[in-house]
Amino acid sequence: MPIITAPQDFHAEDLFVDLGAVVDRSLYLKCEGFNFAGSVKLKAAAEMIAAAERSGTLTSDSIIVESSSGNLGIALSIIAAHKGYRFICVTDSRCNLTTRRMMEALGSQVHTITEPDVDGGFLAARIAYVRDLVASDPRCLWLNQYHNVNNWKAHYRRTAPSIARNFPGLDVLFVGAGTTGTLMGCARYFRDEGLPVRIVAVDSVGSVTFGGAPGLRMIPGLGTSVRPSLLVESLVDDVVYVEEADTVRSCHRLARNGFLFGGSTGTVVSGALSWLDANAAGRDLTAVVIAPDMGERYLDTVYQENWVRDIYGDDVLAVDLENAGARSND
């Protein structure tokens, strides 16, 4: 029986779902949402804060500031509340209302950017606001998840070893690309261990992470409008791009089978199925998908039919996921 004193001390690391009966393929889902933050971001948050404490840059007088579309904001809010730090989360209008309310309930201050930067979208506008905060108050400490190596180190130390331990014969790993912390941590681990695992990054259409054309994205979590400095493309074997309409279909397909996951998970599952259709015909591959969070925070968006129809059209949910594959790029 686990007994903890700090919320960041609990995480169900070795929970996997066999999606075979749902997607008619051999595909396993690593569930990262079973912790007090409800997402994979709790690992990165804990690692970045611990490193800042060790270095002395984070003190009792510090005000932690971070740009986040939601999940890291909640994770930092939880740890900040437990440790007694002040935290300001800079998000944007795509952040779910439930997520904003959770951060505020935990005592954090939330600033919402309503207008995107002309060239860099909402992310660039958020980062600009964070830089202004840091420049205006010496107490402000920006952890900078987009550049902080402790972001990927958290997954090098925990996420990837769990996958390797549970799937010693793993052939391919599908990881969503946001800050690319999870992606880089896993890719570095399997490379350093000399394990022949193919690393497939899954990105949203409209994201510039891998050089794609910028475009409107309404589902937070994956994709960026500013290329992440953590990314080392040589560690990635393939990239799959997923339209947001396919993300929605994937989420609803999983929900119809009793699994309520977030938008990022829907994106990665959709991308994984597309890649497997194109590359694994007649092959018995062991494949794992990382599911960053659960679906409760998306009830007003991805799982709200009026919201879905207004953005993606009246018939978006009428198209079966199997006939709505993502576009892949080697």
Side-chain angles (χ1 to χ4, degrees), residues 116-167:
D117 179 83
V118 174
D119 297 318
F122 277 112
L123 178 55
R126 285 175 6 210
I127 290 175
Y129 189 86
V130 169
R131 292 187 189 279
D132 287 343
L133 281 176
V134 173
S136 66
D137 191 335
R139 297 172 300 169
C140 288
L141 173 65
W142 181 21
L143 294 175
N144 195 352
Q145 63 166 325
Y146 313 103
H147 186 69
N148 194 322
V149 296
N150 295 290
N151 184 347
W152 67 257
K153 285 182 178 180
H155 304 289
Y156 186 97
R157 294 168 178 164
R158 297 180 60 185
T159 309
S162 168
I163 296 169
R165 181 172 60 250
N166 285 280
F167 294 89

Side-chain angles (χ1 to χ4, degrees), residues 58-262:
L58 178 58
T59 69
S60 59
D61 294 328
S62 298
I63 302 172
I64 300 170
V65 295
E66 186 57 88
S67 158
S68 171
S69 60
N71 282 338
L72 182 69
I74 290 176
L76 288 172
S77 294
I78 285 173
I79 300 175
H82 176 72
K83 289 178 171 282
Y85 296 121
R86 289 180 59 189
F87 171 52
I88 301 173
C89 180
V90 180
T91 187
D92 62 62
S93 54
R94 297 169 302 175
C95 179
N96 300 319
L97 177 60
T98 299
T99 297
R100 294 200 297 271
R101 286 178 173 172
M102 287 180 69
M103 289 189 279
E104 290 169 344
L106 289 160
S108 298
Q109 179 182 340
V110 181
H111 180 84
T112 303
I113 300 293
T114 58
E115 293 294 331
D117 179 83
V118 174
D119 297 318
F122 277 112
L123 178 55
R126 285 175 6 210
I127 290 175
Y129 189 86
V130 169
R131 292 187 189 279
D132 287 343
L133 281 176
V134 173
S136 66
D137 191 335
R139 297 172 300 169
C140 288
L141 173 65
W142 181 21
L143 294 175
N144 195 352
Q145 63 166 325
Y146 313 103
H147 186 69
N148 194 322
V149 296
N150 295 290
N151 184 347
W152 67 257
K153 285 182 178 180
H155 304 289
Y156 186 97
R157 294 168 178 164
R158 297 180 60 185
T159 309
S162 168
I163 296 169
R165 181 172 60 250
N166 285 280
F167 294 89
L170 182 65
D171 294 302
V172 57
L173 176 65
F174 298 95
V175 190
T179 65
T180 69
T182 308
L183 175 65
M184 289 294 96
C186 290
R188 289 178 187 273
Y189 176 86
F190 285 107
R191 181 202 62 180
D192 290 351
E193 292 295 314
L195 299 172
V197 177
R198 194 163 190 85
I199 304 296
V200 179
V202 181
D203 200 8
S204 300
V205 170
S207 167
V208 305
T209 300
F210 295 95
L216 180 65
R217 292 175 293 108
M218 297 300 297
I219 301 175
L222 297 187
T224 61
S225 53
V226 178
R227 182 180 170 88
S229 62
L230 293 178
L231 176 63
V232 179
E233 286 195 61
S234 61
L235 295 176
V236 178
D237 296 300
D238 298 302
V239 180
V240 178
Y241 295 98
V242 176
E243 297 277 1
E244 283 194 338
D246 292 336
T247 292
V248 171
R249 296 182 187 110
S250 180
C251 286
H252 281 256
R253 183 178 183 182
L254 292 169
R256 287 197 301 270
N257 286 273
F259 296 107
L260 194 71
F261 285 105

